[in-house]
Amino acid sequence: MNVLGAAIIRRSGLSKIARNDTYCDRNLAQRVCGLATETTTSTVRLVDAISFPTNGDLPLQDQNARGLPNKHSERNFFLDVLSSTSGKREAKAYLSRFKPSSPRSNDRLIPKHNSIRIPEKDSVSGVNLGGLFLPARAVDESPIFGQDAAPKTFVDISSEPLHVALVSFKSPQLIDDQTLQGIGLTLSQLAKLGLSCIVVVDLQDEQAQKSSAEQPLLWRTNAIEQADRIVSAIERQSGQEARRLDSVIGISPMKDDVTPTVKIRGDVRVLYRNLLLAPLRRGVVPVVVPVGYTSVDQKAVAVSAKDVMLALTQELAGIIRRSTTEEESTQLMQSIRTAQREVSVDRIIILDRLGGIPSISSMNESHIFINLEQEYEGIRDELLRLKDNLKTMTQKEVAHKAFPLSTSRMSNTLSNFVDGEMVPASTQALTNCPPSIDLVIDSHLSSLRLVRDALAILPPSSSALLITPQEAANSSHHSSLSKMPGVGTRPFRNPLIHNLLTDKPIFSSSLPRTRLLPSISSTLNPSTPATFIKRGMSLTFLPDPRIEAWRPPTPSILPLQLSDPRIDLARLVHLIEDSFGRTLDVQRYMARISQNLAGIIIAGSYEGAAILTWEAPPNLPSSVIPGTPAYAARMVPYLDKFAVLKRSQGAGGVADILFSAMVRDCFPKGVVWRSRRDNPVNKWYFERAKGTWKIPVKKQGTQGWTMFWTTEGVDGERFDDYAGVCRSVETSWADGKKLLD
């Protein structure tokens, strides 16, 4: 049984098999686990072979009691899980985080049939008593007749930590019923995998918001109507219970916040914590209406959905904004720790028809992954500059100048909004004109700030996902699966399920855009790809290419040295040795790169690093003199070391963050590197390189190199320079092994 199959058994409801439920084939568990080991190309065929339990297999009263989904939805669920292509490392990480605690049995409640004490072998004093102390076979196999049902194993569900996702559903009134039911199905599937959801309704209706002070009843009525639609969609599609909550939010006169960086307007707070946790522990999906009640006169007022999301985040994270005079500090800290052990907020999910955060500088695509520590200010400023520039442009100029991809019908949200594709008829009827592009940018900025503020008070392991309702609902679209070429994912994979199982975006952010675009355009029609956001880690560039571009060393400019006081050499060496599993000859290595070190990128607290050098090709003619422009033009940008701590490999996106920074900020014109032919990381390199070449082996029986590069149009002299450098660079290991690094 592999780890992904175990994940399915533990969190999909198939654990009922172990409790001898009669409605399901007992062999289903092993059959599903066997399917998880098969190749992904035959996933659909394999899932079709599973005999899923159907409603027809049960009496009518059992169907209503169990609320079983139909065979088609079960098939789609397993298809989503099996097609996630999560590796062994990701599956283990998922299991370790979402592993349910072992049930605690109460021996006094469980009757023991034939509970005869059998003496130990050593206590018989060597006398062979045969079967004297063994129960008679006829008695042992006889049926038990009783009026009361045998008590079941006692499981204290309150002792298990709740894994929660806070879902902000923007403009549900503009979503059709079919898409809404698909979202309900996806939310129930997340619950099967261990992630319970709390949905917050966000009407995003400016006119209604402005008039809410004058007509609070109308606002509340509209919000309740949409909440009931969501509840109905969840229950109709999945059989899972959902409940509308419209009395859990309060507005108090308290002015103090624990974290000054997180501002909640109007002092919105959760009134009754148990109203949220009790339904969650019973498997009920709470749908929160953005209505709050004042603490003075209990008046119902409209509340921003963003403020509700932040209030829920603070409450579930165990943050108490002001301690009461009755509590001692030790008791207060204990209550905070208890609250944090009780609930883990793992995801912030924003369902927005605008899709992910747009990247204006990257061909007008959406950001696939955002490292908030490094990229928040740059993305915010980029959107603000775009908003300022649009003030002086007409709609036609916006569509054809600011967003040139709109003419090719690419999935660009902003251009689609200008073209009227994303404008619902009801909105146009109300405003008599297309919505302003400013509103689109403001919506993206609001989502970005919400995610930043929420993740700031959550553990670093928490993350956020911005996704369109169509993407979230695509669990039911597997019938139209088709094979598509290109690096990426299979069409119609559900980003929410994939992200839960792997803690990664559905597309890797370090993939070249030329390989990524065909997959996006065919997979996510007609919406933009989702944006995965983590608090992430800071990146240290030495020297900083944003201030001055990296250039080959010259006699007048001294190159960077690893002995630079800004570099913790001991931690850097530990990182390299931990990543490669070999001992580095530090003095020899420093001597080799002392005159040609281009720069170094350090991720976080030395969780990863990339060391890049300028290498001179070995076949340079004598007429090319060092220090001249001709010599600098022939220097090869070379990735000498790319290291990630073993504990950070495959998690947190450290490798993607490093690689993206290297090709985007340091060497945008291209870089070359080499790797052993049997290196298991080569698949990752192949996907990100624009060209590869297996360097011929000179001696039989020796290992060879594979050369990779990200440079456009490598041929002729440039190709010879690259190959010469990859052949000639010496290794610097201290173990004396004749192995390639």
Side-chain angles (χ1 to χ4, degrees), residues 318 329-342:
S329 59
T330 55
Q331 295 176 341
L332 178 62
M333 291 302 298
Q334 183 63 31
S335 63
I336 293 177
R337 293 192 188 98
T338 302
Q340 292 175 341
R341 286 194 300 266
E342 199 174 37

Side-chain angles (χ1 to χ4, degrees), residues 35-93:
L35 293 180
T37 63
E38 300 288 342
T39 58
T40 57
T41 56
S42 57
T43 301
V44 179
R45 178 178 57 82
L46 293 171
V47 173
D48 284 335
I50 302 178
S51 299
F52 294 103
T54 61
N55 292 348
D57 299 332
L58 291 175
L60 181 60
Q61 60 271 23
D62 289 341
Q63 295 177 26
N64 296 333
R66 298 179 188 268
L68 291 177
N70 57 37
K71 181 176 181 179
H72 179 68
S73 62
E74 286 291 326
R75 172 189 177 275
N76 288 335
F77 170 62
F78 284 104
L79 185 59
D80 276 327
V81 174
L82 294 177
S83 64
S84 67
T85 64
S86 58
K88 186 176 182 180
R89 183 187 290 114
E90 289 83 359
K92 282 186 175 180

Side-chain angles (χ1 to χ4, degrees), residues 327-576:
E327 286 185 317
E328 299 291 338
S329 59
T330 55
Q331 295 176 341
L332 178 62
M333 291 302 298
Q334 183 63 31
S335 63
I336 293 177
R337 293 192 188 98
T338 302
Q340 292 175 341
R341 286 194 300 266
E342 199 174 37
V343 180
S344 173
V345 181
D346 296 315
R347 295 290 187 278
I348 303 294
I349 300 173
I350 299 180
L351 301 180
D352 189 350
R353 59 202 177 97
L354 298 179
I357 303 297
S359 174
I360 310 304
S361 60
S362 300
M363 302 174 63
N364 302 319
E365 303 283 314
S366 289
H367 287 277
I368 295 174
F369 173 72
I370 295 178
N371 174 19
L372 284 177
E373 285 283 347
Q374 186 69 22
E375 303 179 76
Y376 172 77
E377 293 183 358
I379 295 174
R380 179 201 60 192
D381 295 343
E382 185 182 58
L383 290 174
L384 290 175
R385 284 195 302 269
L386 173 63
K387 184 178 179 180
D388 293 337
N389 293 337
L390 291 175
K391 293 179 180 179
T392 60
M393 300 170 63
T394 64
Q395 283 192 354
K396 186 175 181 180
E397 290 174 333
V398 169
H400 296 284
K401 292 184 180 180
F403 310 106
L405 289 181
S406 62
T407 57
S408 61
R409 314 306 297 167
M410 295 298 293
S411 57
N412 179 272
T413 304
L414 302 184
S415 60
N416 288 343
F417 219 103
V418 173
D419 293 338
E421 297 177 0
M422 300 286 292
V423 184
S426 58
T427 304
Q428 290 182 347
L430 289 174
T431 61
N432 294 322
C433 65
S436 171
I437 193 70
D438 289 351
L439 298 180
V440 179
I441 299 178
D442 289 340
S443 179
H444 284 304
L445 287 170
S446 176
S447 298
L448 189 62
R449 293 188 184 105
L450 168 60
V451 170
R452 179 203 58 178
D453 293 343
L455 294 183
I457 56 180
L458 292 175
S461 59
S462 300
S463 57
L465 196 66
L466 279 68
I467 182 175
T468 64
Q470 289 74 21
E471 289 179 89
N474 70 11
S475 297
S476 58
H477 297 168
H478 288 294
S479 58
S480 59
L481 273 173
S482 60
K483 296 181 180 179
M484 303 300 296
V487 176
T489 69
R490 176 174 287 97
F492 301 109
R493 179 183 300 175
N494 190 294
L496 291 175
I497 294 177
H498 174 88
N499 177 256
L500 175 61
L501 293 175
T502 65
D503 196 29
K504 293 179 181 179
I506 197 167
F507 300 107
S508 174
S509 60
S510 60
L511 284 174
R513 289 282 174 174
T514 54
R515 295 190 177 186
L516 192 58
L517 288 177
S519 295
I520 294 179
S521 60
S522 61
T523 303
L524 300 176
N525 178 49
S527 57
T528 58
T531 297
F532 180 57
I533 304 178
K534 299 201 76 168
R535 188 195 303 178
M537 59 191 66
S538 60
L539 289 179
T540 302
F541 296 89
L542 297 174
D544 194 339
R546 295 165 295 184
I547 299 176
E548 185 177 2
W550 289 6
R551 295 185 176 89
T554 62
S556 59
I557 302 177
L558 296 177
L560 178 72
Q561 301 293 323
L562 290 183
S563 57
D564 190 290
R566 295 172 294 179
I567 300 175
D568 191 331
L569 184 59
R571 299 182 70 181
L572 180 62
V573 170
H574 169 73
L575 165 63
I576 295 173

